[in-house]
């Protein structure tokens, strides 16, 4: 669930101040008026698809409220249908601020679609679990040959990129050694496994206990056939490229503390430590390398 090469130098400062003090006063007045106008405008905040669980939806709505509190602006929460839809919404200006998964952030940064303003440190724990039913005979990635896997979404870090990298390390090729489908969300992928539509489903590590607690999966019936590597970077907050500097500054100053203080948000997003402001692209480059290792050209995902 954000910055880098080029956090914008955001204001045009007094071009050709030939008239001296008068021009300076006029420029200051105009800037103050613009700031006041921005503060009254609704900020659109987007969150990526996660699960259909009402509790998680409530958590994301609460995060939207925090964005409004931090920015000092009225805020509306949107949830595009897929991960790359969030990137596109920020790129085209219909969304002002978004929380992005790690691969979505790397994609958006590399293609120049967004400005990440905050990125949290990586977690040392596995990013994702891949699951099978115990009576399937599938106990490890090598057993996947000839079987059907449910991934989550083409832009999902824990539901696609990291699991696919796990299978690649095991010498397996999608479409040759196994067949795959995109379920659209984490809970849909897990439900596909539960109802027998697929043989394996991959999902975020931190969501697995929730699926057990909610009764979607019965732990005694499930084998974790693989655990992926940790993700080399944490979740990001990104903004559209022409968002005003005052809003950026307010978000960076206030949002991290608000998010860290909320146990549910911190757990859901896997927040660890203190976020970095305006990270360079090198922060995300390891993710691009993972994508390339499994044959994905991140530029093709525009």
């Amino acid at each position: 669930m954000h910055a880098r090469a080029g956090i914008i130098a955001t204001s045009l400062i007094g071009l050709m101040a030939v008239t001296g003090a008068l021009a300076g006063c006029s420029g200051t007045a105009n800037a103050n008026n613009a700031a006041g106008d921005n503060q009254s405008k609704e900020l659109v905040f987007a969150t990526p698809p996660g699960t259909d669980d009402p509790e998680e939806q409530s958590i994301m709505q609460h995060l939207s409220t925090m964005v409004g509190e931090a920015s000092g602006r009225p805020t509306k929460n949107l949830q595009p249908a897929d991960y790359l839809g969030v990137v596109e919404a920020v790129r085209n200006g219909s969304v002002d601020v978004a929380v992005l998964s790690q691969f979505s952030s790397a994609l958006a940064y590399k293609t120049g679609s967004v400005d990440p303003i905050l990125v949290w440190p990586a977690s040392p724990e596995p990013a994702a679990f891949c699951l099978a039913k115990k009576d399937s005979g599938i106990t490890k990635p090598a057993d996947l040959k000839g079987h059907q896997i449910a991934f989550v979404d083409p832009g999902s870090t824990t539901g696609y990129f990291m699991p696919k990298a796990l299978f690649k390390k095991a010498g397996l090729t999608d479409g040759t050694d196994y067949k795959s489908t995109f379920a659209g969300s984490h809970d849909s992928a897990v439900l596909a496994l539960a109802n027998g539509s697929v043989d394996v489903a991959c999902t975020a590590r931190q969501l697995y206990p929730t699926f057990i607690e909610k009764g979607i999966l019965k732990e005694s019936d499930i084998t974790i056939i693989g655990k992926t590597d940790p993700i080399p970077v944490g979740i990001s907050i990104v903004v559209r490229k022409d968002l005003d500097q005052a809003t950026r500054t307010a978000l960076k100053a206030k949002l991290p503390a608000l998010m860290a203080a909320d146990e549910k948000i911190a757990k859901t997003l896997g927040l660890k430590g203190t976020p970095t402001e305006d990270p360079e692209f090198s922060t995300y480059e390891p993710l691009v390398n993972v994508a390339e290792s499994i044959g994905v050209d991140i530029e093709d995902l525009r």
Side-chain angles (χ1 to χ4, degrees), residues 6-300:
I7 283 290
I8 308 177
T10 51
S11 33
L12 295 174
I13 322 175
L15 286 175
M16 308 188 63
V18 177
T19 55
L22 283 177
C25 291
S26 175
T28 300
N30 289 337
N32 287 339
N33 288 339
D37 290 344
N38 277 331
Q39 288 305 104
S40 65
K41 289 181 180 178
E42 185 175 63
L43 202 64
V44 182
F45 173 65
T47 53
T51 75
D52 296 326
D53 181 65
E55 183 176 355
E56 184 176 332
Q57 298 296 319
S58 176
I59 290 171
M60 292 300 101
Q61 183 57 53
H62 186 41
L63 178 56
S64 178
T65 300
M66 288 182 177
V67 169
E69 183 179 344
S71 66
R73 294 172 60 175
T75 304
K76 177 173 71 175
N77 182 217
L78 294 180
Q79 189 176 77
D82 55 52
Y83 288 82
L84 300 183
V86 181
V87 173
E88 175 60 19
V90 180
R91 187 197 65 77
N92 68 28
S94 58
V95 163
D96 301 298
V97 184
V99 56
L100 287 185
S101 67
Q102 294 88 340
F103 267 104
S104 297
S105 300
L107 159 67
Y109 198 148
K110 183 169 183 180
T111 58
S113 302
V114 305
D115 283 343
I117 60 170
L118 294 166
V119 60
W120 272 261
S123 168
E125 299 190 61
F129 289 168
C130 291
L131 315 171
K133 290 185 176 179
K134 285 187 175 177
D135 60 7
S136 69
I138 303 172
T139 62
K140 57 186 181 300
D143 298 330
L144 289 174
K145 288 189 176 182
H147 291 286
Q148 180 87 24
I149 300 170
F151 292 126
V152 172
D153 180 285
S156 174
T157 306
T158 55
Y160 179 54
F161 284 98
M162 298 305 290
K164 195 165 183 178
L166 173 70
F167 300 150
K168 183 69 173 179
K169 284 185 177 180
L172 303 174
T173 301
D174 193 355
T176 301
D177 298 305
Y178 63 89
K179 296 180 181 179
S180 68
T181 186
F182 290 113
S185 66
H186 287 269
D187 48 353
S188 294
V190 169
L191 282 169
L193 172 65
N195 65 28
S197 299
V198 298
D199 305 302
V200 172
C202 298
T203 188
R205 169 194 46 79
Q206 68 265 32
L207 292 178
Y208 175 68
T210 300
F211 293 133
I212 299 298
E213 292 166 9
K214 300 288 184 182
I216 297 174
L217 296 175
K218 189 174 180 181
E219 193 166 19
S220 59
D221 294 340
I222 295 297
T223 297
I224 299 174
I225 68 163
K227 299 180 181 182
T228 73
D229 291 339
I231 310 170
V233 66
I235 211 80
S236 294
I237 300 292
V238 307
V239 300
R240 58 180 169 83
K241 295 186 74 66
D242 58 351
L243 186 69
D244 65 279
Q245 189 64 46
T247 301
R248 294 167 183 250
T249 299
L251 289 170
K252 288 185 286 187
K254 301 175 183 178
L255 189 57
L258 291 171
M259 293 171 67
D262 189 291
E263 184 177 346
K264 289 183 177 180
I265 286 177
K267 180 179 179 181
T268 298
L269 298 180
L271 304 184
K272 304 284 185 182
T274 302
T276 298
E277 295 183 6
D278 305 333
E280 298 295 325
F281 178 69
S282 58
T283 301
Y284 298 95
E285 196 164 12
L287 292 170
V288 176
N289 294 338
V290 172
E292 292 174 348
S293 77
I294 59 175
V296 175
D297 184 348
I298 206 164
E299 292 283 355
D300 290 341

